[in-house]
Amino acid sequence: DGGITQSPKYLFRKEGQNVTLSCEQNLNHDAMYWYRQDPGQGLRLIYYSQIVNDFQKGDIAEGYSVSREKKESFPLTVTSAQKNPTAFYLCASRDRQETQYFGPGTRLLVL
Amino acid sequence: AQSVTQLGSHVSVSEGALVLLRCNYSSSVPPYLFWYVQYPNQGLQLLLKYTSAATLVKGINGFEAEFKKSETSFHLTKPSAHMSDAAEYFCAAGKPQGGSEKLVFGKGTKLTVNP
């Protein structure tokens, strides 16, 4: 079954801690994305990558970091510099017909 | 910069009634346009997309959307609402002249379906 997986479903962060959210896809898509969703705010782009070993900042990259060492994987690290990390995080990938497909999401909560 | 406006953060309809969710985009050159649906605590699922091939686009679950360049609109409709349509709906726009390298999302419309 082809698709996008995100883990964990729920993640708890303590103050001062870095946490990493996993995103894996087996759709053979080149481009991958990370979005943050807050109630009533829609989706905001954090980082995106159009090819392995390359990525660009989105609209709200401060306090986040990414890597793209493999085509299938695009992990997001929420650093301690992100002062308001509580949100629903969505990963997506884009096909050659310009359509983005989304994973099931990770909800990050602060202890 | 491109922006997407969804009129009405909450829409309530009766089961069997027409569903109309409004979306307007800002660019003078038509972008690629998308409607997604999100059920609670889940990711977004593509309903339909406009890529300049046809102005009336049919999607999944009986939904369709009409692209109107003169009104810079891409409203989503369904003739008869079903209880299972209750969800949040997002309109998104790609780059003017095509492509979806970066999507801009509206803030979403939560649809409630009353029995």
Side-chain angles (χ1 to χ4, degrees):
Chain A
D1 237 355
I4 302 172
T5 56
Q6 291 186 241
S7 62
K9 189 172 175 66
Y10 295 94
L11 185 57
F12 298 90
R13 192 190 91 163
K14 295 179 183 177
E15 195 150 341
Q17 187 182 38
N18 293 353
V19 292
T20 297
L21 286 61
S22 169
C23 177
E24 303 276 332
Q25 55 101 358
N26 61 4
L27 300 168
N28 199 33
H29 292 167
D30 288 314
M32 295 185 74
Y33 301 79
W34 274 106
Y35 293 91
R36 171 178 170 141
Q37 186 178 23
D38 297 280
Q41 295 293 316
L43 276 71
R44 292 181 291 169
L45 182 63
I46 305 173
Y47 268 98
Y48 65 107
S49 167
Q50 300 206 71
I51 199 165
V52 174
N53 293 322
D54 187 47
F55 49 83
Q56 287 80 38
K57 292 181 179 180
D59 301 316
I60 56 164
E62 187 174 346
Y64 300 96
S65 66
V66 293
S67 63
R68 187 85 188 276
E69 296 175 3
K70 298 188 300 182
K71 188 175 187 177
E72 301 80 17
S73 178
F74 191 39
L76 173 75
T77 296
V78 184
T79 74
S80 57
Q82 174 49 247
K83 297 306 178 189
N84 184 22
T86 298
F88 193 50
Y89 290 86
L90 288 159
C91 177
S93 66
R94 189 182 91 237
D95 68 11
R96 292 178 186 270
Q97 285 73 48
E98 302 291 345
T99 301
Q100 290 191 22
Y101 296 92
F102 287 80
T106 292
R107 189 166 297 281
L108 178 59
L109 300 163
V110 177
L111 291 176
Chain B
Q2 176 76 272
S3 67
V4 174
T5 302
Q6 291 185 239
L7 279 173
S9 57
H10 290 82
V11 169
S12 183
V13 300
S14 298
E15 193 174 17
L18 172 72
V19 176
L20 171 60
L21 304 181
R22 300 177 189 272
C23 173
N24 289 86
Y25 61 93
S26 63
S27 62
S28 57
V29 178
Y32 283 5
L33 294 160
F34 304 81
W35 275 102
Y36 288 89
V37 61
Q38 185 180 36
Y39 298 99
N41 293 312
Q42 294 185 25
L44 273 65
Q45 180 183 2
L46 179 71
L47 277 177
L48 49 81
K49 67 177 183 181
Y50 167 78
T51 57
S52 77
T55 57
L56 184 62
V57 182
K58 294 189 183 298
I60 62 170
N61 302 339
F63 284 93
E64 62 182 34
E66 186 173 9
F67 171 74
K68 290 188 177 179
K69 184 178 178 180
S70 61
E71 299 176 8
T72 61
S73 69
F74 189 56
H75 302 332
L76 182 71
T77 60
K78 182 173 180 178
S80 176
H82 192 272
M83 296 296 288
S84 61
D85 295 326
E88 191 157 21
Y89 292 79
F90 291 93
C91 181
K95 297 186 298 186
Q97 297 180 318
S100 68
E101 175 187 302
K102 288 173 69 174
L103 289 180
V104 174
F105 285 83
K107 295 191 174 182
T109 297
K110 193 166 185 180
L111 177 66
T112 301
V113 182
N114 302 307

